[in-house]
Amino acid sequence: LGRGFDIYVRLPPDYDPNGLSYPVVYLLDGDSLFPILAANHLFLHYDDGLPEAVIVGIAYGGFDPSVNRRNIDFQSPDVGVPEAEAGAEAFHTFLTDELLPLIEGRFHVDPEQRVLFGQSRGGNLVLWSAVHRPDVFWGRIASNPSLTPGMGSILSGAATSERDDLMVVVTSGERDRPDLPGEAAQWVETWRNTDVEQRPFNSWLFRVPGGTHAANAPDAYRIGMNWLFQPPQP
């Protein structure tokens, strides 16, 4: 991308580079979400029985538009969006070609259990990834995704997947902006109604009682991680 990122890594307290591989969670908007979610994972391990994990925060180093380009990096193509401003594919290539090999070459993680978490516009990138690069991440969590503009490229045309265990969890706060829960529900419903041969993942939608747009990211993380690693038994 021609610019740098700050990458934060949280290792489990019992991390053993020679032991079992850990699941790995990649957090978009790491400037704000890494300090909250990486620290909270320990309590989810204690209280909810989640497996320990390596948590990776992808941060810009600040929130000023001169360095924080999330408005471009998380933007999927759509009618009316200039090509230069739809950076989802380029950002995802940075993940697959640079960041993931770096993390997996340095830390003892399981590439079969990669999770991608994104909030708001980050959630849009998560869903673009699910549709167009399904096999890169086993699990995905989109918290209060903001999908407009960008819906035009994530409601159809999924890439072929070689895996049959891919999962996407979408959460919506009950007190979020009225249009966003509708967008999230439309995305999930569209893919649920798509023939299984053309749908590379299973998806679920959860409402967060009393949830707002940004403050409930920890709830979305908890719901999503529990569903991915400890789904209810039939």
Side-chain angles (χ1 to χ4, degrees):
L1 295 173
R3 46 192 162 88
F5 292 86
D6 294 337
I7 305 301
Y8 298 97
V9 179
R10 178 261 187 194
L11 300 178
D14 60 354
Y15 177 78
D16 180 357
N18 299 311
L20 297 174
S21 296
Y22 293 90
V24 56
V25 183
Y26 293 87
L27 304 175
L28 304 176
D29 285 317
D31 301 271
S32 54
L33 291 179
F34 180 83
I36 302 169
L37 301 183
N40 197 45
H41 191 96
L42 178 65
F43 299 118
L44 298 179
H45 173 64
Y46 287 159
D47 291 350
D48 290 357
L50 280 177
E52 264 296 4
V54 173
I55 314 295
V56 180
I58 307 164
Y60 290 94
F63 300 97
D64 190 278
S66 63
V67 296
N68 193 310
R69 306 298 296 276
R70 70 191 300 276
N71 61 312
I72 294 176
D73 292 337
F74 305 160
Q75 176 63 59
S76 52
D78 205 349
V79 175
V81 177
E83 184 176 347
E85 296 178 13
E89 183 171 2
F91 180 81
H92 206 276
T93 299
F94 152 69
L95 296 181
T96 58
D97 291 6
E98 298 180 59
L99 181 60
L100 270 60
L102 174 68
I103 295 298
E104 292 168 10
R106 185 173 298 184
F107 301 103
H108 207 52
V109 299
D110 181 3
E112 297 298 306
Q113 287 193 306
R114 296 183 192 129
V115 177
L116 181 64
F117 181 95
Q119 156 74 22
S120 190
R121 290 305 288 174
N124 185 70
L125 190 280
V126 168
L127 300 185
W128 185 92
S129 171
V131 174
H132 296 283
R133 301 291 186 272
D135 285 337
V136 175
F137 296 94
W138 160 69
R140 294 173 170 88
I141 306 169
S143 170
N144 291 327
S146 174
L147 306 180
T148 303
M151 288 275 275
S153 61
I154 59 174
L155 289 177
S156 62
T160 302
S161 172
E162 296 182 2
R163 299 182 64 165
D164 60 3
D165 61 343
L166 304 180
M167 295 180 281
V168 181
V169 176
V170 181
T171 69
S172 288
E174 287 183 344
R175 293 170 52 208
D176 197 4
R177 233 173 53 206
D179 55 314
L180 299 189
E183 292 178 358
Q186 179 185 357
W187 188 88
V188 172
E189 191 66 20
T190 296
W191 285 106
R192 280 182 178 170
N193 291 330
T194 300
D195 291 342
V196 67
E197 294 82 6
Q198 300 175 333
R199 170 170 45 88
F201 48 78
N202 288 317
S203 58
W204 296 269
L205 176 65
F206 294 91
R207 298 302 298 274
V208 179
T212 55
H213 183 64
N216 294 95
D219 298 296
Y221 185 87
R222 184 181 191 182
I223 291 168
M225 291 293 287
N226 272 294
W227 191 265
L228 294 176
F229 286 94
Q230 303 178 131
Q233 298 300 310

